[in-house]
């Protein structure tokens, strides 16, 4: 999975190149490199129970910047994993939204969400069983001679992070910079927001020293769970809002949709992942 993500880029909470609000000021690249769809074998992980006829969509993913020999894609992020009890609730909500928006696909594997909804187990495992990311900086190209400097500075500034909880409180819709994709996301608006914002500021400082584009002025930390082609933000937001109203009708308002522990920060450069800091459960 990691190798596949490295090749195709991360389309979830990799908020920099694909799942960010449309307020970015980055110029659209002149050359877009199309990528083939991922192999269907990815949809049959080892020891998976049951079978389902899944078809890969013919959508074409493009990079936010053209490939140049000697450049490596840099991405700094917080890894996020969803617990089993939360997966069931999220899967149930996504199933309802997909009935309203049949063009929705699963982030990364690019499979139609309504196909996965035919099997609850596969919906939970394929759509929600992967590792998600809260981006702390844009995904940008760097040169090979910058790698050691970037990794060293990230570790120096971020290795002493403290333990905290991250609360995902809000369903939100984001559109990528090119307005070619719309994302269904979970946003952090309370617990963990202060800490994540400080981490983004630290990453920004390092990016600036290396002449790399900084993150958005008003960052909105989130992970993305599903996407649809084009800019359908208006209709998709209406669908999500309507389903949210049904979920909370006559029920006490939940403090957050789901929570997870901050476990550390990682940096992926090309196909190699570097640990910037790691927080043990004991801290």
């Amino acid at each position: 999975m990691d190798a596949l993500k490295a090749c195709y880029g991360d389309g979830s909470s990799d908020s920099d190149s694909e799942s960010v609000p449309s307020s970015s000021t980055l110029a659209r690249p002149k050359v877009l490199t199309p990528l083939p769809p991922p192999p269907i074998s990815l949809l049959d992980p080892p020891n998976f129970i049951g079978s389902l006829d899944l078809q890969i969509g013919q959508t074409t993913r493009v990079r936010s910047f053209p490939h140049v020999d000697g450049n490596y894609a840099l991405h700094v992020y917080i890894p996020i994993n969803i617990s089993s009890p939360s997966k069931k609730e999220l899967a149930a909500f996504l199933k309802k939204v997909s009935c309203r928006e049949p063009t929705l696909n699963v982030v990364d594997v690019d499979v139609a969400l309504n196909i996965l909804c035919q099997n609850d187990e596969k919906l939970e495992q394929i759509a929600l069983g992967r590792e998600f990311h809260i981006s702390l900086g844009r995904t940008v190209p760097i040169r090979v001679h910058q790698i050691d400097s970037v990794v060293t500075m990230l570790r120096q500034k971020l290795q002493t992070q403290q333990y905290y909880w991250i609360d995902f409180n809000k369903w939100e819709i984001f559109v990528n910079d090119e307005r070619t994709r719309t994302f269904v996301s979970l946003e952090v608006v309370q617990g963990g927001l202060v800490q994540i914002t400080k981490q983004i500021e630290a990453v920004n400082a390092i990016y600036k020293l290396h002449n790399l584009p900084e993150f958005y002025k008003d960052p909105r930390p989130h992970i993305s769970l599903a996407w649809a082609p084009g800019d359908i933000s208006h209709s998709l937001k209406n669908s999500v809002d309507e389903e949210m109203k049904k979920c909370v009708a006559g029920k006490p308002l939940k403090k957050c949709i789901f929570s997870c522990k901050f476990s550390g920060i990682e940096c992926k450069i090309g196909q190699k992942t570097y640990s910037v800091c790691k927080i043990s459960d004991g801290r």
Side-chain angles (χ1 to χ4, degrees), residues 45-69:
N47 302 320
F48 195 84
I49 300 173
S51 61
L52 187 64
D53 184 20
L54 298 175
Q55 298 295 324
I56 296 288
Q58 294 304 311
T59 55
T60 300
R61 177 175 298 182
V62 295
R63 298 183 187 274
S64 292
F65 50 85
H67 172 71
V68 177
D69 288 341

mmCIF file with all atom_site columns, all heavy atoms in Angstrom, residues 45-69:
data_model
loop_
_atom_site.group_PDB
_atom_site.id
_atom_site.type_symbol
_atom_site.label_atom_id
_atom_site.label_alt_id
_atom_site.label_comp_id
_atom_site.label_asym_id
_atom_site.label_entity_id
_atom_site.label_seq_id
_atom_site.pdbx_PDB_ins_code
_atom_site.Cartn_x
_atom_site.Cartn_y
_atom_site.Cartn_z
_atom_site.occupancy
_atom_site.B_iso_or_equiv
_atom_site.pdbx_formal_charge
_atom_site.auth_seq_id
_atom_site.auth_comp_id
_atom_site.auth_asym_id
_atom_site.auth_atom_id
_atom_site.pdbx_PDB_model_num
ATOM 1   N N   . PRO A 1 45 ? -7.177  -7.691  -0.328  1.00 0.00 ? 45 PRO A N   1
ATOM 2   C CA  . PRO A 1 45 ? -6.077  -7.867  0.599   1.00 0.00 ? 45 PRO A CA  1
ATOM 3   C C   . PRO A 1 45 ? -6.044  -9.284  1.135   1.00 0.00 ? 45 PRO A C   1
ATOM 4   O O   . PRO A 1 45 ? -7.062  -9.977  1.131   1.00 0.00 ? 45 PRO A O   1
ATOM 5   C CB  . PRO A 1 45 ? -6.390  -6.855  1.722   1.00 0.00 ? 45 PRO A CB  1
ATOM 6   C CG  . PRO A 1 45 ? -7.838  -6.549  1.580   1.00 0.00 ? 45 PRO A CG  1
ATOM 7   C CD  . PRO A 1 45 ? -8.181  -6.754  0.141   1.00 0.00 ? 45 PRO A CD  1
ATOM 8   N N   . PRO A 1 46 ? -4.868  -9.748  1.594   1.00 0.00 ? 46 PRO A N   1
ATOM 9   C CA  . PRO A 1 46 ? -4.736  -11.116 2.101   1.00 0.00 ? 46 PRO A CA  1
ATOM 10  C C   . PRO A 1 46 ? -5.737  -11.386 3.212   1.00 0.00 ? 46 PRO A C   1
ATOM 11  O O   . PRO A 1 46 ? -6.046  -10.519 4.029   1.00 0.00 ? 46 PRO A O   1
ATOM 12  C CB  . PRO A 1 46 ? -3.287  -11.156 2.618   1.00 0.00 ? 46 PRO A CB  1
ATOM 13  C CG  . PRO A 1 46 ? -2.600  -10.079 1.868   1.00 0.00 ? 46 PRO A CG  1
ATOM 14  C CD  . PRO A 1 46 ? -3.620  -9.004  1.645   1.00 0.00 ? 46 PRO A CD  1
ATOM 15  N N   . ASN A 1 47 ? -6.254  -12.636 3.265   1.00 0.00 ? 47 ASN A N   1
ATOM 16  C CA  . ASN A 1 47 ? -7.143  -13.091 4.324   1.00 0.00 ? 47 ASN A CA  1
ATOM 17  C C   . ASN A 1 47 ? -8.472  -12.352 4.345   1.00 0.00 ? 47 ASN A C   1
ATOM 18  O O   . ASN A 1 47 ? -9.168  -12.325 5.360   1.00 0.00 ? 47 ASN A O   1
ATOM 19  C CB  . ASN A 1 47 ? -6.478  -12.955 5.699   1.00 0.00 ? 47 ASN A CB  1
ATOM 20  C CG  . ASN A 1 47 ? -5.177  -13.723 5.770   1.00 0.00 ? 47 ASN A CG  1
ATOM 21  O OD1 . ASN A 1 47 ? -5.077  -14.828 5.255   1.00 0.00 ? 47 ASN A OD1 1
ATOM 22  N ND2 . ASN A 1 47 ? -4.183  -13.139 6.409   1.00 0.00 ? 47 ASN A ND2 1
ATOM 23  N N   . PHE A 1 48 ? -8.834  -11.709 3.226   1.00 0.00 ? 48 PHE A N   1
ATOM 24  C CA  . PHE A 1 48 ? -10.112 -11.006 3.200   1.00 0.00 ? 48 PHE A CA  1
ATOM 25  C C   . PHE A 1 48 ? -11.233 -12.016 3.018   1.00 0.00 ? 48 PHE A C   1
ATOM 26  O O   . PHE A 1 48 ? -11.137 -12.937 2.233   1.00 0.00 ? 48 PHE A O   1
ATOM 27  C CB  . PHE A 1 48 ? -10.148 -9.988  2.059   1.00 0.00 ? 48 PHE A CB  1
ATOM 28  C CG  . PHE A 1 48 ? -11.274 -9.024  2.217   1.00 0.00 ? 48 PHE A CG  1
ATOM 29  C CD1 . PHE A 1 48 ? -11.115 -7.911  3.019   1.00 0.00 ? 48 PHE A CD1 1
ATOM 30  C CD2 . PHE A 1 48 ? -12.484 -9.262  1.605   1.00 0.00 ? 48 PHE A CD2 1
ATOM 31  C CE1 . PHE A 1 48 ? -12.158 -7.035  3.180   1.00 0.00 ? 48 PHE A CE1 1
ATOM 32  C CE2 . PHE A 1 48 ? -13.529 -8.383  1.765   1.00 0.00 ? 48 PHE A CE2 1
ATOM 33  C CZ  . PHE A 1 48 ? -13.362 -7.263  2.556   1.00 0.00 ? 48 PHE A CZ  1
ATOM 34  N N   . ILE A 1 49 ? -12.321 -11.850 3.785   1.00 0.00 ? 49 ILE A N   1
ATOM 35  C CA  . ILE A 1 49 ? -13.422 -12.788 3.764   1.00 0.00 ? 49 ILE A CA  1
ATOM 36  C C   . ILE A 1 49 ? -14.461 -12.334 2.752   1.00 0.00 ? 49 ILE A C   1
ATOM 37  O O   . ILE A 1 49 ? -14.869 -11.178 2.733   1.00 0.00 ? 49 ILE A O   1
ATOM 38  C CB  . ILE A 1 49 ? -14.070 -12.891 5.162   1.00 0.00 ? 49 ILE A CB  1
ATOM 39  C CG1 . ILE A 1 49 ? -13.016 -13.363 6.177   1.00 0.00 ? 49 ILE A CG1 1
ATOM 40  C CG2 . ILE A 1 49 ? -15.255 -13.827 5.163   1.00 0.00 ? 49 ILE A CG2 1
ATOM 41  C CD1 . ILE A 1 49 ? -13.509 -13.336 7.589   1.00 0.00 ? 49 ILE A CD1 1
ATOM 42  N N   . GLY A 1 50 ? -14.923 -13.257 1.941   1.00 0.00 ? 50 GLY A N   1
ATOM 43  C CA  . GLY A 1 50 ? -15.993 -12.926 1.001   1.00 0.00 ? 50 GLY A CA  1
ATOM 44  C C   . GLY A 1 50 ? -15.439 -12.389 -0.301  1.00 0.00 ? 50 GLY A C   1
ATOM 45  O O   . GLY A 1 50 ? -14.258 -12.109 -0.448  1.00 0.00 ? 50 GLY A O   1
ATOM 46  N N   . SER A 1 51 ? -16.336 -12.220 -1.253  1.00 0.00 ? 51 SER A N   1
ATOM 47  C CA  . SER A 1 51 ? -15.920 -11.695 -2.549  1.00 0.00 ? 51 SER A CA  1
ATOM 48  C C   . SER A 1 51 ? -16.982 -10.731 -3.059  1.00 0.00 ? 51 SER A C   1
ATOM 49  O O   . SER A 1 51 ? -18.138 -10.796 -2.694  1.00 0.00 ? 51 SER A O   1
ATOM 50  C CB  . SER A 1 51 ? -15.726 -12.840 -3.554  1.00 0.00 ? 51 SER A CB  1
ATOM 51  O OG  . SER A 1 51 ? -16.944 -13.524 -3.730  1.00 0.00 ? 51 SER A OG  1
ATOM 52  N N   . LEU A 1 52 ? -16.570 -9.825  -3.893  1.00 0.00 ? 52 LEU A N   1
ATOM 53  C CA  . LEU A 1 52 ? -17.475 -8.844  -4.461  1.00 0.00 ? 52 LEU A CA  1
ATOM 54  C C   . LEU A 1 52 ? -16.907 -8.409  -5.795  1.00 0.00 ? 52 LEU A C   1
ATOM 55  O O   . LEU A 1 52 ? -15.696 -8.221  -5.933  1.00 0.00 ? 52 LEU A O   1
ATOM 56  C CB  . LEU A 1 52 ? -17.606 -7.636  -3.530  1.00 0.00 ? 52 LEU A CB  1
ATOM 57  C CG  . LEU A 1 52 ? -18.648 -6.579  -3.878  1.00 0.00 ? 52 LEU A CG  1
ATOM 58  C CD1 . LEU A 1 52 ? -20.051 -7.174  -3.804  1.00 0.00 ? 52 LEU A CD1 1
ATOM 59  C CD2 . LEU A 1 52 ? -18.548 -5.412  -2.911  1.00 0.00 ? 52 LEU A CD2 1
ATOM 60  N N   . ASP A 1 53 ? -17.758 -8.299  -6.765  1.00 0.00 ? 53 ASP A N   1
ATOM 61  C CA  . ASP A 1 53 ? -17.300 -7.897  -8.098  1.00 0.00 ? 53 ASP A CA  1
ATOM 62  C C   . ASP A 1 53 ? -17.070 -6.394  -8.107  1.00 0.00 ? 53 ASP A C   1
ATOM 63  O O   . ASP A 1 53 ? -17.996 -5.609  -8.188  1.00 0.00 ? 53 ASP A O   1
ATOM 64  C CB  . ASP A 1 53 ? -18.352 -8.273  -9.139  1.00 0.00 ? 53 ASP A CB  1
ATOM 65  C CG  . ASP A 1 53 ? -17.890 -7.959  -10.547 1.00 0.00 ? 53 ASP A CG  1
ATOM 66  O OD1 . ASP A 1 53 ? -16.674 -7.822  -10.745 1.00 0.00 ? 53 ASP A OD1 1
ATOM 67  O OD2 . ASP A 1 53 ? -18.758 -7.855  -11.436 1.00 0.00 ? 53 ASP A OD2 1
ATOM 68  N N   . LEU A 1 54 ? -15.810 -5.984  -8.025  1.00 0.00 ? 54 LEU A N   1
ATOM 69  C CA  . LEU A 1 54 ? -15.465 -4.573  -7.968  1.00 0.00 ? 54 LEU A CA  1
ATOM 70  C C   . LEU A 1 54 ? -14.820 -4.148  -9.280  1.00 0.00 ? 54 LEU A C   1
ATOM 71  O O   . LEU A 1 54 ? -13.951 -4.839  -9.806  1.00 0.00 ? 54 LEU A O   1
ATOM 72  C CB  . LEU A 1 54 ? -14.482 -4.311  -6.818  1.00 0.00 ? 54 LEU A CB  1
ATOM 73  C CG  . LEU A 1 54 ? -15.006 -4.640  -5.416  1.00 0.00 ? 54 LEU A CG  1
ATOM 74  C CD1 . LEU A 1 54 ? -13.894 -4.445  -4.406  1.00 0.00 ? 54 LEU A CD1 1
ATOM 75  C CD2 . LEU A 1 54 ? -16.196 -3.768  -5.068  1.00 0.00 ? 54 LEU A CD2 1
ATOM 76  N N   . GLN A 1 55 ? -15.229 -3.024  -9.783  1.00 0.00 ? 55 GLN A N   1
ATOM 77  C CA  . GLN A 1 55 ? -14.674 -2.512  -11.031 1.00 0.00 ? 55 GLN A CA  1
ATOM 78  C C   . GLN A 1 55 ? -13.984 -1.180  -10.775 1.00 0.00 ? 55 GLN A C   1
ATOM 79  O O   . GLN A 1 55 ? -14.523 -0.300  -10.128 1.00 0.00 ? 55 GLN A O   1
ATOM 80  C CB  . GLN A 1 55 ? -15.791 -2.320  -12.063 1.00 0.00 ? 55 GLN A CB  1
ATOM 81  C CG  . GLN A 1 55 ? -16.510 -3.621  -12.424 1.00 0.00 ? 55 GLN A CG  1
ATOM 82  C CD  . GLN A 1 55 ? -15.582 -4.599  -13.116 1.00 0.00 ? 55 GLN A CD  1
ATOM 83  O OE1 . GLN A 1 55 ? -14.723 -4.210  -13.894 1.00 0.00 ? 55 GLN A OE1 1
ATOM 84  N NE2 . GLN A 1 55 ? -15.756 -5.879  -12.826 1.00 0.00 ? 55 GLN A NE2 1
ATOM 85  N N   . ILE A 1 56 ? -12.784 -1.034  -11.305 1.00 0.00 ? 56 ILE A N   1
ATOM 86  C CA  . ILE A 1 56 ? -12.064 0.228   -11.210 1.00 0.00 ? 56 ILE A CA  1
ATOM 87  C C   . ILE A 1 56 ? -12.652 1.221   -12.197 1.00 0.00 ? 56 ILE A C   1
ATOM 88  O O   . ILE A 1 56 ? -12.878 0.899   -13.359 1.00 0.00 ? 56 ILE A O   1
ATOM 89  C CB  . ILE A 1 56 ? -10.575 0.032   -11.547 1.00 0.00 ? 56 ILE A CB  1
ATOM 90  C CG1 . ILE A 1 56 ? -9.924  -0.876  -10.505 1.00 0.00 ? 56 ILE A CG1 1
ATOM 91  C CG2 . ILE A 1 56 ? -9.846  1.362   -11.600 1.00 0.00 ? 56 ILE A CG2 1
ATOM 92  C CD1 . ILE A 1 56 ? -9.735  -0.256  -9.162  1.00 0.00 ? 56 ILE A CD1 1
ATOM 93  N N   . GLY A 1 57 ? -12.908 2.422   -11.725 1.00 0.00 ? 57 GLY A N   1
ATOM 94  C CA  . GLY A 1 57 ? -13.416 3.455   -12.615 1.00 0.00 ? 57 GLY A CA  1
ATOM 95  C C   . GLY A 1 57 ? -12.342 3.896   -13.599 1.00 0.00 ? 57 GLY A C   1
ATOM 96  O O   . GLY A 1 57 ? -11.152 3.694   -13.363 1.00 0.00 ? 57 GLY A O   1
ATOM 97  N N   . GLN A 1 58 ? -12.747 4.522   -14.663 1.00 0.00 ? 58 GLN A N   1
ATOM 98  C CA  . GLN A 1 58 ? -11.809 4.960   -15.685 1.00 0.00 ? 58 GLN A CA  1
ATOM 99  C C   . GLN A 1 58 ? -11.367 6.414   -15.482 1.00 0.00 ? 58 GLN A C   1
ATOM 100 O O   . GLN A 1 58 ? -10.915 7.063   -16.407 1.00 0.00 ? 58 GLN A O   1
ATOM 101 C CB  . GLN A 1 58 ? -12.456 4.803   -17.065 1.00 0.00 ? 58 GLN A CB  1
ATOM 102 C CG  . GLN A 1 58 ? -12.718 3.352   -17.427 1.00 0.00 ? 58 GLN A CG  1
ATOM 103 C CD  . GLN A 1 58 ? -11.472 2.505   -17.376 1.00 0.00 ? 58 GLN A CD  1
ATOM 104 O OE1 . GLN A 1 58 ? -10.448 2.883   -17.942 1.00 0.00 ? 58 GLN A OE1 1
ATOM 105 N NE2 . GLN A 1 58 ? -11.522 1.371   -16.698 1.00 0.00 ? 58 GLN A NE2 1
ATOM 106 N N   . THR A 1 59 ? -11.546 6.914   -14.244 1.00 0.00 ? 59 THR A N   1
ATOM 107 C CA  . THR A 1 59 ? -11.106 8.271   -13.963 1.00 0.00 ? 59 THR A CA  1
ATOM 108 C C   . THR A 1 59 ? -9.594  8.363   -14.054 1.00 0.00 ? 59 THR A C   1
ATOM 109 O O   . THR A 1 59 ? -8.884  7.414   -13.751 1.00 0.00 ? 59 THR A O   1
ATOM 110 C CB  . THR A 1 59 ? -11.549 8.695   -12.561 1.00 0.00 ? 59 THR A CB  1
ATOM 111 O OG1 . THR A 1 59 ? -11.067 7.730   -11.627 1.00 0.00 ? 59 THR A OG1 1
ATOM 112 C CG2 . THR A 1 59 ? -13.048 8.781   -12.475 1.00 0.00 ? 59 THR A CG2 1
ATOM 113 N N   . THR A 1 60 ? -9.102  9.504   -14.470 1.00 0.00 ? 60 THR A N   1
ATOM 114 C CA  . THR A 1 60 ? -7.670  9.714   -14.610 1.00 0.00 ? 60 THR A CA  1
ATOM 115 C C   . THR A 1 60 ? -7.189  10.722  -13.577 1.00 0.00 ? 60 THR A C   1
ATOM 116 O O   . THR A 1 60 ? -7.712  11.821  -13.510 1.00 0.00 ? 60 THR A O   1
ATOM 117 C CB  . THR A 1 60 ? -7.324  10.238  -16.016 1.00 0.00 ? 60 THR A CB  1
ATOM 118 O OG1 . THR A 1 60 ? -7.746  9.263   -16.966 1.00 0.00 ? 60 THR A OG1 1
ATOM 119 C CG2 . THR A 1 60 ? -5.840  10.471  -16.155 1.00 0.00 ? 60 THR A CG2 1
ATOM 120 N N   . ARG A 1 61 ? -6.226  10.333  -12.765 1.00 0.00 ? 61 ARG A N   1
ATOM 121 C CA  . ARG A 1 61 ? -5.677  11.227  -11.761 1.00 0.00 ? 61 ARG A CA  1
ATOM 122 C C   . ARG A 1 61 ? -4.497  11.985  -12.348 1.00 0.00 ? 61 ARG A C   1
ATOM 123 O O   . ARG A 1 61 ? -3.717  11.442  -13.121 1.00 0.00 ? 61 ARG A O   1
ATOM 124 C CB  . ARG A 1 61 ? -5.208  10.421  -10.535 1.00 0.00 ? 61 ARG A CB  1
ATOM 125 C CG  . ARG A 1 61 ? -4.569  11.274  -9.472  1.00 0.00 ? 61 ARG A CG  1
ATOM 126 C CD  . ARG A 1 61 ? -4.247  10.455  -8.255  1.00 0.00 ? 61 ARG A CD  1
ATOM 127 N NE  . ARG A 1 61 ? -5.460  9.902   -7.688  1.00 0.00 ? 61 ARG A NE  1
ATOM 128 C CZ  . ARG A 1 61 ? -5.465  9.164   -6.588  1.00 0.00 ? 61 ARG A CZ  1
ATOM 129 N NH1 . ARG A 1 61 ? -4.346  8.877   -5.974  1.00 0.00 ? 61 ARG A NH1 1
ATOM 130 N NH2 . ARG A 1 61 ? -6.603  8.697   -6.121  1.00 0.00 ? 61 ARG A NH2 1
ATOM 131 N N   . VAL A 1 62 ? -4.372  13.240  -12.003 1.00 0.00 ? 62 VAL A N   1
ATOM 132 C CA  . VAL A 1 62 ? -3.244  14.036  -12.463 1.00 0.00 ? 62 VAL A CA  1
ATOM 133 C C   . VAL A 1 62 ? -2.514  14.606  -11.268 1.00 0.00 ? 62 VAL A C   1
ATOM 134 O O   . VAL A 1 62 ? -3.084  14.843  -10.215 1.00 0.00 ? 62 VAL A O   1
ATOM 135 C CB  . VAL A 1 62 ? -3.706  15.199  -13.375 1.00 0.00 ? 62 VAL A CB  1
ATOM 136 C CG1 . VAL A 1 62 ? -4.318  14.654  -14.647 1.00 0.00 ? 62 VAL A CG1 1
ATOM 137 C CG2 . VAL A 1 62 ? -4.699  16.096  -12.656 1.00 0.00 ? 62 VAL A CG2 1
ATOM 138 N N   . ARG A 1 63 ? -1.215  14.823  -11.431 1.00 0.00 ? 63 ARG A N   1
ATOM 139 C CA  . ARG A 1 63 ? -0.413  15.420  -10.387 1.00 0.00 ? 63 ARG A CA  1
ATOM 140 C C   . ARG A 1 63 ? -0.646  16.930  -10.363 1.00 0.00 ? 63 ARG A C   1
ATOM 141 O O   . ARG A 1 63 ? -0.972  17.534  -11.363 1.00 0.00 ? 63 ARG A O   1
ATOM 142 C CB  . ARG A 1 63 ? 1.075   15.148  -10.628 1.00 0.00 ? 63 ARG A CB  1
ATOM 143 C CG  . ARG A 1 63 ? 1.461   13.676  -10.625 1.00 0.00 ? 63 ARG A CG  1
ATOM 144 C CD  . ARG A 1 63 ? 2.967   13.528  -10.794 1.00 0.00 ? 63 ARG A CD  1
ATOM 145 N NE  . ARG A 1 63 ? 3.346   12.139  -10.960 1.00 0.00 ? 63 ARG A NE  1
ATOM 146 C CZ  . ARG A 1 63 ? 3.571   11.305  -9.956  1.00 0.00 ? 63 ARG A CZ  1
ATOM 147 N NH1 . ARG A 1 63 ? 3.428   11.732  -8.724  1.00 0.00 ? 63 ARG A NH1 1
ATOM 148 N NH2 . ARG A 1 63 ? 3.918   10.045  -10.179 1.00 0.00 ? 63 ARG A NH2 1
ATOM 149 N N   . SER A 1 64 ? -0.413  17.523  -9.185  1.00 0.00 ? 64 SER A N   1
ATOM 150 C CA  . SER A 1 64 ? -0.536  18.972  -9.075  1.00 0.00 ? 64 SER A CA  1
ATOM 151 C C   . SER A 1 64 ? 0.710   19.669  -9.591  1.00 0.00 ? 64 SER A C   1
ATOM 152 O O   . SER A 1 64 ? 0.737   20.886  -9.704  1.00 0.00 ? 64 SER A O   1
ATOM 153 C CB  . SER A 1 64 ? -0.783  19.363  -7.611  1.00 0.00 ? 64 SER A CB  1
ATOM 154 O OG  . SER A 1 64 ? -2.052  18.919  -7.208  1.00 0.00 ? 64 SER A OG  1
ATOM 155 N N   . PHE A 1 65 ? 1.763   18.897  -9.860  1.00 0.00 ? 65 PHE A N   1
ATOM 156 C CA  . PHE A 1 65 ? 2.962   19.459  -10.475 1.00 0.00 ? 65 PHE A CA  1
ATOM 157 C C   . PHE A 1 65 ? 3.557   18.402  -11.393 1.00 0.00 ? 65 PHE A C   1
ATOM 158 O O   . PHE A 1 65 ? 3.451   17.210  -11.121 1.00 0.00 ? 65 PHE A O   1
ATOM 159 C CB  . PHE A 1 65 ? 3.987   19.905  -9.415  1.00 0.00 ? 65 PHE A CB  1
ATOM 160 C CG  . PHE A 1 65 ? 4.291   18.857  -8.371  1.00 0.00 ? 65 PHE A CG  1
ATOM 161 C CD1 . PHE A 1 65 ? 5.247   17.873  -8.589  1.00 0.00 ? 65 PHE A CD1 1
ATOM 162 C CD2 . PHE A 1 65 ? 3.623   18.866  -7.155  1.00 0.00 ? 65 PHE A CD2 1
ATOM 163 C CE1 . PHE A 1 65 ? 5.540   16.929  -7.625  1.00 0.00 ? 65 PHE A CE1 1
ATOM 164 C CE2 . PHE A 1 65 ? 3.910   17.917  -6.186  1.00 0.00 ? 65 PHE A CE2 1
ATOM 165 C CZ  . PHE A 1 65 ? 4.866   16.953  -6.416  1.00 0.00 ? 65 PHE A CZ  1
ATOM 166 N N   . PRO A 1 66 ? 4.167   18.807  -12.503 1.00 0.00 ? 66 PRO A N   1
ATOM 167 C CA  . PRO A 1 66 ? 4.704   17.838  -13.456 1.00 0.00 ? 66 PRO A CA  1
ATOM 168 C C   . PRO A 1 66 ? 5.923   17.119  -12.898 1.00 0.00 ? 66 PRO A C   1
ATOM 169 O O   . PRO A 1 66 ? 6.662   17.665  -12.078 1.00 0.00 ? 66 PRO A O   1
ATOM 170 C CB  . PRO A 1 66 ? 5.082   18.703  -14.669 1.00 0.00 ? 66 PRO A CB  1
ATOM 171 C CG  . PRO A 1 66 ? 5.343   20.058  -14.094 1.00 0.00 ? 66 PRO A CG  1
ATOM 172 C CD  . PRO A 1 66 ? 4.374   20.204  -12.959 1.00 0.00 ? 66 PRO A CD  1
ATOM 173 N N   . HIS A 1 67 ? 6.111   15.885  -13.333 1.00 0.00 ? 67 HIS A N   1
ATOM 174 C CA  . HIS A 1 67 ? 7.294   15.135  -12.909 1.00 0.00 ? 67 HIS A CA  1
ATOM 175 C C   . HIS A 1 67 ? 8.534   15.670  -13.609 1.00 0.00 ? 67 HIS A C   1
ATOM 176 O O   . HIS A 1 67 ? 8.523   15.936  -14.810 1.00 0.00 ? 67 HIS A O   1
ATOM 177 C CB  . HIS A 1 67 ? 7.135   13.653  -13.235 1.00 0.00 ? 67 HIS A CB  1
ATOM 178 C CG  . HIS A 1 67 ? 8.383   12.871  -12.992 1.00 0.00 ? 67 HIS A CG  1
ATOM 179 N ND1 . HIS A 1 67 ? 8.859   12.595  -11.729 1.00 0.00 ? 67 HIS A ND1 1
ATOM 180 C CD2 . HIS A 1 67 ? 9.281   12.334  -13.863 1.00 0.00 ? 67 HIS A CD2 1
ATOM 181 C CE1 . HIS A 1 67 ? 9.990   11.911  -11.827 1.00 0.00 ? 67 HIS A CE1 1
ATOM 182 N NE2 . HIS A 1 67 ? 10.261  11.741  -13.113 1.00 0.00 ? 67 HIS A NE2 1
ATOM 183 N N   . VAL A 1 68 ? 9.601   15.843  -12.822 1.00 0.00 ? 68 VAL A N   1
ATOM 184 C CA  . VAL A 1 68 ? 10.882  16.272  -13.358 1.00 0.00 ? 68 VAL A CA  1
ATOM 185 C C   . VAL A 1 68 ? 11.951  15.336  -12.798 1.00 0.00 ? 68 VAL A C   1
ATOM 186 O O   . VAL A 1 68 ? 11.976  15.074  -11.595 1.00 0.00 ? 68 VAL A O   1
ATOM 187 C CB  . VAL A 1 68 ? 11.211  17.734  -12.951 1.00 0.00 ? 68 VAL A CB  1
ATOM 188 C CG1 . VAL A 1 68 ? 12.598  18.123  -13.459 1.00 0.00 ? 68 VAL A CG1 1
ATOM 189 C CG2 . VAL A 1 68 ? 10.159  18.689  -13.496 1.00 0.00 ? 68 VAL A CG2 1
ATOM 190 N N   . ASP A 1 69 ? 12.798  14.805  -13.664 1.00 0.00 ? 69 ASP A N   1
ATOM 191 C CA  . ASP A 1 69 ? 13.864  13.915  -13.211 1.00 0.00 ? 69 ASP A CA  1
ATOM 192 C C   . ASP A 1 69 ? 14.722  14.616  -12.161 1.00 0.00 ? 69 ASP A C   1
ATOM 193 O O   . ASP A 1 69 ? 15.130  15.769  -12.344 1.00 0.00 ? 69 ASP A O   1
ATOM 194 C CB  . ASP A 1 69 ? 14.747  13.486  -14.390 1.00 0.00 ? 69 ASP A CB  1
ATOM 195 C CG  . ASP A 1 69 ? 14.034  12.496  -15.300 1.00 0.00 ? 69 ASP A CG  1
ATOM 196 O OD1 . ASP A 1 69 ? 13.057  11.877  -14.853 1.00 0.00 ? 69 ASP A OD1 1
ATOM 197 O OD2 . ASP A 1 69 ? 14.468  12.352  -16.466 1.00 0.00 ? 69 ASP A OD2 1
#
